[in-house]
Amino acid sequence: MKALLLIDIQNDFLPGGALAVADGDQVIPVANRLMNDFPLVVATQDWHPRDHRSFASQHPGRSVGEVVDLDGLDQVLWPDHCVQGSEGAKFAPGLNLDGIDYVIQKGTDVHIDSYSGFFDNGHRKSTGLEMLLQDQGVSEVQLVGLATDYCVRFTALDAVALGLKTSVVLEGIRGVELKSGDCAMAIHEMRRAGVDVI
Ligand code: VGL
Ligand code: ZN
């Protein structure tokens, strides 16, 4: 059994959004097309409380892109984004919501970020995605969505580490590219870990 994982295809990651990814909207038609080929489609949704500690606004004197220590973990500071219940947190218009079987929300704990759809950044708590895939008898996942260098990357790395056959579709991902080369590095890292990049 194989599943399609749609990673964070939400308004705030699209052009004009709070944490806009260049050409982020271009993953939408790819996602819609691929949905037809998979018996199970799971979407992850970045879903932060409004005072989430990954927001630069919660760290007076610090700015977006700086790295701080959060409970012993390096944390990149982001603009306020994907606040629970906000317009920015909604799935992209144009994404075929009827094709989505399950939604997994992440980043809900104010104290820790969660790039991966499986675990928070400290691997302290599970989001329920692993259990869901196990229950559904999934052994193979394919990923599309945002962002290549953060949530796609860490979700794919966790998926292979969990023993799932994992692929990422290049035309269906786009990245933040905080530093030039971040996306290329992420793709290299995924490949080296055993992710099939197609
Ligand atoms: C993401 C940064 C912060 C992502 C989420 O979806 O890649 N990146 N929150
Ligand atoms: Zn986030």
Side-chain angles (χ1 to χ4, degrees), residues 88-100:
K90 287 185 182 160
F91 289 119
L95 187 65
N96 174 21
L97 300 184
D98 292 337
I100 298 172

Side-chain angles (χ1 to χ4, degrees), residues 8 13 19 46 48 54-55 78 81-82 106 113-115 151:
D8 299 4
F13 298 122
L19 210 174
D46 213 31
H48 297 308
S54 75
F55 297 167
W78 300 109
H81 67 279
C82 297
K106 64 184 181 61
D113 212 353
S114 184
Y115 295 144
C151 293

Side-chain angles (χ1 to χ4, degrees), residues 1 7 25 30 52 64 117 147 163 176 181:
M1 170 82 157
I7 309 301
D25 52 334
V30 182
H52 196 258
V64 168
V176 177

